[in-house]
Structure formats: structure tokens, C-alpha cells
Amino acid sequence: MRNEFAEFMMSRTQRTLAILQLFTPERPALCAEDIVSLLDISRATAYRCINDLKANGLLDVASSGSYVLGPAIMQLDRLVRLHDPLLTLSIGLIKQLSRKTSGSVLLCRLHDMKALCIYEEQGTNSPKTISYERGRAMPLFYGATSKVMLANLEPAAVETILKHESDALNQAGLPVSSEPLHTLLAQWRTQRILRAEEEVDPGACGWAMAIYQGKELLGSLSVVLKRHSNVTDAQVTSALLQTGLRIEALLEKPSR
């Protein structure tokens, strides 16, 4: 009986959390029927999960009986900003890097095979538009910020992308068969700093490096400048590499 109950509770927990994953910028509100349809669950199950989320402040009732993300999400976001080691250890160095290069500096995490921006420090020589902003998840196939994560994925993760996202790879002009893609990613890894121009935003040029904690890929650190600026490629590359290595060294120190 215990095992059956644990299995029931786990599946209910998974379904409940899956509801939160349904919210996107294009779909900021959901009604119960949306949840039933998208998750292929019964109305009774949907309402049980909705009530669990409402009770914990993770969902709130909007107009017309729809639901939006609740205030507890904001509390959790504040805790991330205050206590995420990658973020708290990096902010001072990121500010220095932005002043040194005059560019915007982005710190992104690898999450759900996307580049999720967790911090941006704006620079005096930044492009007018930078699509990466805190909390926005971007695909791994465009721009140095994302591509450097793609280059450093484990081979098995790359194979999963090939299996499920070949159309997106093809649209981005990347190889859609195993050997050519792995060869290209290996070339990118040897560069350590990846550079790309106007792949995400017009008039923008980006440099990025992967950030590791030990052997675990956490995300990327990048500098974004206007395409035509007085800062040289060598200056940006050197400053970015020094900063990234210092962040990795701080992450390796045992916490007190």
C-alpha cells in the first residue's frame, strides 16, 4: 500500500508542477479547460492540482475564471536573487566587466535545454535592443550566449536535441546529423570564447564563454556591444575570459 500511495502522490506532484510549466509569455493565463486539454487529464484531477497551487500561492484567480501565476512566485524569485551562488558571487565581477568593456553583460543559466537569463548589467555602449532579459528563456541555436552552452553540452544531450529539434537546428543553419554537429561543437569548444554578430538582435555583437562549477555546466557569461564600437575583439575576449575564470574559481571555494 505504501508504494502505491507514494506512486500516486508522485504522479499528482508531477502533474501539479506540470501546470506551472504551461505558462508562457504567449499564454500568461489558463482556464481549467486549457489545463485539461494540454495535460490530457480529467477535470477532477485538474481542479485538485489547481487548488493545491492556489493554496500555496503559486496560482491566483484572474478574470473570467482563468488562472495566472501567483504571488509566491515573486517570493521565490527574490530568494533566488539573494541566495543563488552563481548570481551572488558574480555580480561584482559582472559590473567590473561591463565598465571595462562598456558593453552589457549577461549571466545565463542552462535550464531545460534553453538559455535562461538571470542577470543583465547594462553598458554604455550596448545595442538598443537585447532580447536576453531576466527570466526569459532563449533557444540554444542563435547567438554566442546560447551557442556556447550548446557547444558544451554532454554528447547524449546533443543527441536528444538532434532527435527532437532537428527542424530548429536546420532553421538555424546548423547540422542536423550527428557527426557534423559534434564536429562543429568541438570546434566551438576549443575557442573557449565564442563570437557572433546579429544572430539575435540587429546591430548587436556578442562574445560568450561557458561557466562551469567543477565538471557541471551551469550556463554562460557574455558581453554584448553595438556592432561598431571602439572596443577591440582582443580587449573583450581578454576581459571576458579573466572574469569568467574568476567566477569559476569563486564557485569552487567551499562555502562557509
Side-chain angles (χ1 to χ4, degrees):
M1 290 295 293
R2 286 184 178 180
N3 289 338
E4 291 178 2
F5 179 73
E7 183 179 348
F8 166 76
M9 290 303 295
M10 178 61 70
S11 61
R12 177 169 172 174
T13 300
Q14 290 172 339
R15 286 192 294 264
T16 302
L17 294 176
I19 291 174
L20 298 178
Q21 298 295 324
L22 297 177
F23 290 91
T24 66
E26 298 76 27
R27 194 168 55 209
L30 293 166
C31 66
E33 290 301 327
D34 294 327
I35 295 170
V36 169
S37 175
L38 290 167
L39 295 183
D40 192 23
I41 57 179
S42 68
R43 287 178 59 86
T45 298
Y47 276 109
R48 281 196 296 268
C49 295
I50 288 169
N51 289 334
D52 287 346
L53 292 169
K54 285 171 55 184
N56 288 282
L58 295 169
L59 280 189
D60 208 352
V61 181
S63 59
S64 305
S66 60
Y67 302 93
V68 295
L69 294 175
I73 300 291
M74 297 177 65
Q75 291 180 309
L76 295 174
D77 179 69
R78 181 175 181 272
L79 289 175
V80 170
R81 286 186 283 111
L82 291 175
H83 301 294
D84 178 2
L86 175 60
L87 186 55
T88 57
L89 292 173
S90 302
I91 286 180
L93 293 172
I94 286 172
K95 291 179 181 294
Q96 292 177 22
L97 179 59
S98 180
R99 289 194 295 268
K100 187 177 293 186
T101 61
S102 75
S104 283
V105 179
L106 308 175
L107 181 65
C108 295
R109 272 192 177 274
L110 176 66
H111 172 67
D112 194 27
M113 290 299 106
K114 293 185 182 296
L116 179 66
C117 183
I118 63 172
Y119 185 79
E120 176 191 358
E121 183 70 28
Q122 292 188 343
T124 57
N125 202 16
S126 302
K128 289 183 179 180
T129 301
I130 298 180
S131 293
Y132 290 85
E133 57 186 53
R134 179 174 171 81
R136 184 176 185 182
M138 301 287 284
L140 295 182
F141 312 134
Y142 299 92
T145 299
S146 291
K147 282 182 171 179
V148 79
M149 293 190 208
L150 178 64
N152 284 271
L153 292 177
E154 292 291 332
V158 175
E159 289 299 321
T160 299
I161 288 174
L162 275 168
K163 181 178 179 181
H164 297 288
E165 299 193 63
S166 60
D167 288 344
L169 284 168
N170 185 57
Q171 188 173 356
L174 298 173
V176 293
S177 54
S178 184
E179 186 174 348
L181 181 58
H182 283 287
T183 299
L184 176 62
L185 299 185
Q187 292 172 354
W188 287 353
R189 284 195 301 275
T190 60
Q191 298 175 29
R192 192 61 198 268
I193 303 291
L194 206 59
R195 183 179 183 275
E197 288 190 16
E198 297 188 299
E199 291 190 3
V200 178
D201 296 306
C205 184
W207 294 257
M209 69 174 288
I211 297 296
Y212 277 83
Q213 183 171 19
K215 295 183 178 181
E216 180 185 0
L217 174 64
L218 296 184
S220 70
L221 180 70
S222 53
V223 175
V224 185
L225 283 159
K226 293 177 182 176
R227 189 164 176 260
H228 300 291
S229 63
N230 295 325
V231 185
T232 67
D233 182 85
Q235 289 172 324
V236 176
T237 298
S238 175
L240 176 58
L241 182 59
Q242 290 178 23
T243 302
L245 292 175
R246 289 180 67 186
I247 290 172
E248 289 181 336
L250 288 173
L251 289 168
E252 283 297 290
K253 287 184 178 180
S255 59
R256 295 180 179 179

Coordinates of all heavy atoms in Angstrom, one line a residue, residues 13 21 29 47 61 65 89 106 118 122-123 144 156 162 174 180 189 200-201 230 245 255:
T13 N 2.0 15.1 -7.8 CA 3.0 16.2 -7.7 C 3.5 16.6 -9.1 O 3.6 17.8 -9.4 CB 4.2 15.8 -6.8 OG1 3.7 15.5 -5.5 CG2 5.2 16.9 -6.7
Q21 N 4.5 24.8 -15.8 CA 5.3 24.8 -17.0 C 4.4 25.2 -18.2 O 5.0 25.5 -19.3 CB 5.9 23.4 -17.2 CG 6.9 23.0 -16.1 CD 8.1 23.8 -16.0 OE1 8.6 24.3 -17.1 NE2 8.6 24.0 -14.8
A29 N -2.2 33.3 -19.1 CA -3.4 32.9 -18.3 C -4.0 31.6 -18.9 O -3.9 31.4 -20.1 CB -4.5 34.0 -18.3
Y47 N -8.6 20.2 -11.3 CA -9.1 21.1 -10.2 C -8.4 20.8 -8.9 O -8.1 21.7 -8.1 CB -10.6 21.0 -10.0 CG -11.3 21.9 -10.9 CD1 -12.1 21.4 -12.0 CD2 -11.2 23.3 -10.8 CE1 -12.7 22.3 -12.9 CE2 -11.9 24.2 -11.7 CZ -12.6 23.7 -12.7 OH -13.3 24.5 -13.6
V61 N -6.4 33.6 -9.1 CA -7.6 33.7 -10.0 C -7.6 35.0 -10.7 O -7.5 36.1 -10.1 CB -8.9 33.5 -9.2 CG1 -10.1 33.6 -10.1 CG2 -8.9 32.2 -8.4
G65 N -12.6 33.5 -14.7 CA -12.3 32.2 -14.2 C -11.0 31.6 -14.7 O -10.8 30.4 -14.6
L89 N 27.8 35.5 -6.3 CA 29.3 35.6 -6.4 C 29.7 36.3 -7.6 O 30.9 36.8 -7.7 CB 29.9 34.2 -6.4 CG 29.8 33.3 -5.2 CD1 30.2 31.9 -5.4 CD2 30.6 34.0 -4.0
L106 N 25.7 39.7 -19.7 CA 24.6 38.8 -19.4 C 25.1 37.6 -18.7 O 26.1 37.0 -19.1 CB 23.9 38.3 -20.7 CG 23.5 39.4 -21.7 CD1 22.9 38.7 -23.0 CD2 22.4 40.3 -21.0
I118 N 19.6 35.3 -16.0 CA 19.3 35.5 -14.6 C 19.8 36.9 -14.1 O 19.5 37.3 -13.0 CB 19.9 34.4 -13.7 CG1 21.4 34.4 -13.8 CG2 19.2 33.1 -14.0 CD1 22.0 33.4 -12.8
Q122 N 23.6 46.6 -17.7 CA 23.7 47.4 -19.0 C 24.9 48.2 -19.1 O 25.4 48.7 -18.1 CB 22.4 48.3 -19.0 CG 21.1 47.5 -19.2 CD 20.0 48.5 -19.5 OE1 20.1 49.7 -19.2 NE2 18.9 47.9 -20.0
G123 N 25.5 48.3 -20.3 CA 26.7 49.1 -20.5 C 26.4 50.3 -21.3 O 25.3 50.5 -21.9
A144 N 26.0 34.0 -29.5 CA 27.1 33.4 -28.8 C 26.6 33.0 -27.4 O 27.1 32.0 -26.9 CB 28.2 34.5 -28.6
A156 N 25.3 13.0 -25.1 CA 23.9 12.5 -25.0 C 22.8 13.6 -25.1 O 21.8 13.3 -25.8 CB 23.7 11.7 -23.7
L162 N 19.2 16.5 -31.4 CA 19.1 16.1 -32.7 C 17.8 15.3 -33.0 O 17.2 15.5 -34.1 CB 20.3 15.2 -33.1 CG 21.6 15.9 -33.5 CD1 22.8 14.9 -33.5 CD2 21.4 16.5 -34.9
L174 N 22.3 25.0 -38.7 CA 23.2 24.1 -38.0 C 23.0 22.7 -38.6 O 22.0 22.3 -39.1 CB 23.0 24.1 -36.5 CG 23.2 25.4 -35.8 CD1 22.8 25.4 -34.4 CD2 24.7 25.9 -35.9
P180 N 28.6 15.6 -38.2 CA 28.9 17.0 -38.5 C 28.6 18.0 -37.3 O 29.3 18.9 -37.1 CB 28.0 17.3 -39.7 CG 27.7 16.0 -40.3 CD 27.6 15.1 -39.2
R189 N 34.1 24.6 -28.9 CA 34.6 24.4 -27.5 C 36.1 24.8 -27.5 O 36.6 25.3 -26.5 CB 34.5 22.9 -27.1 CG 33.1 22.6 -26.6 CD 33.0 21.3 -25.8 NE 33.6 20.2 -26.6 CZ 32.8 19.4 -27.4 NH1 31.6 19.7 -27.7 NH2 33.4 18.4 -28.1
V200 N 20.8 37.4 -33.1 CA 19.6 37.5 -32.2 C 19.0 38.9 -32.4 O 17.8 39.1 -32.6 CB 19.9 37.2 -30.7 CG1 18.6 37.4 -29.9 CG2 20.5 35.8 -30.6
D201 N 19.8 39.9 -32.2 CA 19.3 41.3 -32.3 C 20.1 42.1 -33.3 O 21.3 42.0 -33.4 CB 19.4 42.0 -30.9 CG 18.6 41.4 -29.9 OD1 17.4 41.2 -30.1 OD2 19.1 41.0 -28.8
N230 N 34.4 51.0 -30.4 CA 35.8 51.3 -30.3 C 36.5 50.2 -29.5 O 37.8 50.2 -29.5 CB 36.1 52.6 -29.6 CG 35.5 53.8 -30.5 OD1 35.6 53.7 -31.7 ND2 35.0 54.8 -29.8
L245 N 36.8 33.1 -15.6 CA 37.7 32.2 -14.8 C 37.7 32.6 -13.3 O 37.7 31.7 -12.4 CB 39.1 32.3 -15.3 CG 39.4 31.7 -16.7 CD1 40.8 31.9 -17.2 CD2 39.1 30.2 -16.7
S255 N 31.9 26.9 0.7 CA 31.1 27.9 1.4 C 31.3 27.8 2.9 O 31.5 26.7 3.4 CB 29.6 27.7 1.1 OG 29.1 26.4 1.4

